[in-house]
């Protein structure tokens, strides 16, 4: 056991360190020192992948331990590294929907984990918590209001984008959804900083065309966006759709 601990903590190759953590957690699970050692590693190691592996091994190997759930919640809310928060939230979001208060906890993560605009969407702990809510609690009475609020008001454009996408996927027939998406296509506050960013206004416009192809407000909306949207990419997108629309009517 001690030689695996040394590899996990001090080897120069992070892949070796992660593998050593996995082997130790699985091979010495019944050793009384394994769990506290993994928890210490998860808190204090200087390499993110090692810490994440330790979190995942504790969550999966000691799921029924009474201290595991509060420990994961603490990491999810307050760890200084977003990758560790993401790992903890992922473990909480996957298969713990029977835990009392888990919906409320995940909502708290979505709303209150510090905003980090530099994170890509798939690595954003807030997005992962929201994904857990959608997977585990799609029919909860607060899920739809939460999504609508995020789509309108979240400071992170990627979270707004994700919320719009999920609303269109799961609630496209909800009364007033066309009007809501129409409002997002006009009023989302996105301002482009990098060419690769995807504008939530364009996403809302794309969804409207797909989900409501015969709605009488689509053509006026496309005309407006082709002329007035402040983002050139959205203007080009709307203009192209107008050309296709005209050809289909010939």
């Amino acid at each position: 056991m001690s030689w695996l601990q040394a590899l996990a903590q001090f080897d120069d190759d992070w892949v070796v360190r992660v593998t050593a953590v996995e082997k130790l957690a699985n091979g010495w699970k019944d050793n009384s020192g394994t769990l506290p050692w993994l928890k210490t590693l998860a808190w204090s190691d200087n390499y993110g992948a090692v810490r994440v592996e330790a979190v995942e091994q504790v969550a999966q190997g000691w799921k029924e331990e009474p201290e595991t759930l509060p420990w994961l919640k603490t990491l999810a809310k307050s760890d200084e590294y977003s990758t560790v928060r993401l790992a903890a939230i992922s473990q909480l979001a996957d298969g713990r929907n029977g835990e009392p208060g888990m919906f409320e906890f995940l909502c708290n993560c979505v709303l209150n984990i510090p905003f980090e605009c530099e994170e890509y969407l798939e690595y954003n702990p807030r997005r992962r918590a929201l994904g857990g809510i959608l997977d585990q609690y799609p029919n909860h009475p607060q899920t739809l209001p939460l999504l609508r609020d995020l789509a309108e008001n979240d400071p992170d454009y990627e979270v707004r984008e994700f919320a719009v996408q999920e609303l269109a996927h799961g609630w496209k027939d909800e009364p007033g959804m066309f009007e809501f998406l129409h409002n997002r296509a006009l009023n989302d506050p996105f301002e482009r900083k990098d060419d690769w960013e995807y504008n939530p206004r364009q996403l809302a416009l794309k969804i409207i065309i797909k989900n409501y192809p015969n709605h009488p407000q689509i053509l006026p909306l496309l005309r407006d966006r082709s002329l007035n949207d402040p983002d050139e990419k959205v203007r080009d997108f709307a203009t192209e759709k107008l050309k296709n629309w005209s050809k289909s009517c010939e």
Side-chain angles (χ1 to χ4, degrees), residues 2 9 14 31 37 110 131 133-134 140 149 183 192 211 224:
S2 59
Q9 290 177 284
W14 70 268
N31 187 296
W37 180 82
V110 172
I133 289 172
L134 295 171
H140 193 286
D149 178 67
N183 180 276
R192 183 172 301 283
N211 287 357
D224 176 80

Side-chain angles (χ1 to χ4, degrees), residues 164-175:
V164 166
Q165 175 182 302
E166 292 303 315
L167 284 167
H169 175 70
W171 288 270
K172 70 175 184 178
D173 297 322
E174 185 76 16

Side-chain angles (χ1 to χ4, degrees), residues 19 29 45 53 58 68 71 102 128 132 145 147 167 189-190 204 209 211-212 228 239 250:
T19 303
K29 183 178 178 181
D45 196 86
E53 183 67 25
V58 170
T68 297
W71 180 75
M102 187 53 66
R128 183 64 187 89
L147 275 176
L167 284 167
F190 175 86
I209 294 168
N211 287 357
Y212 313 98
N228 300 318
T239 300
E250 291 176 355

Side-chain angles (χ1 to χ4, degrees), residues 25-26 29-30 35 38 54-65 68 91 96:
N26 290 309
K29 183 178 178 181
D30 295 330
L35 179 56
L38 286 169
V55 169
E56 292 175 350
Q57 291 299 331
V58 170
Q60 295 166 20
W62 287 266
K63 185 175 182 178
E64 304 306 322
E65 286 286 327
T68 297
Q91 295 302 318
R96 286 187 178 266

Side-chain angles (χ1 to χ4, degrees), residues 113-125:
I113 284 180
F115 170 50
E116 295 173 330
C117 60
E118 76 277 5
E119 291 180 343
Y120 290 106
L121 184 59
E122 61 267 30
Y123 301 120
N124 191 316

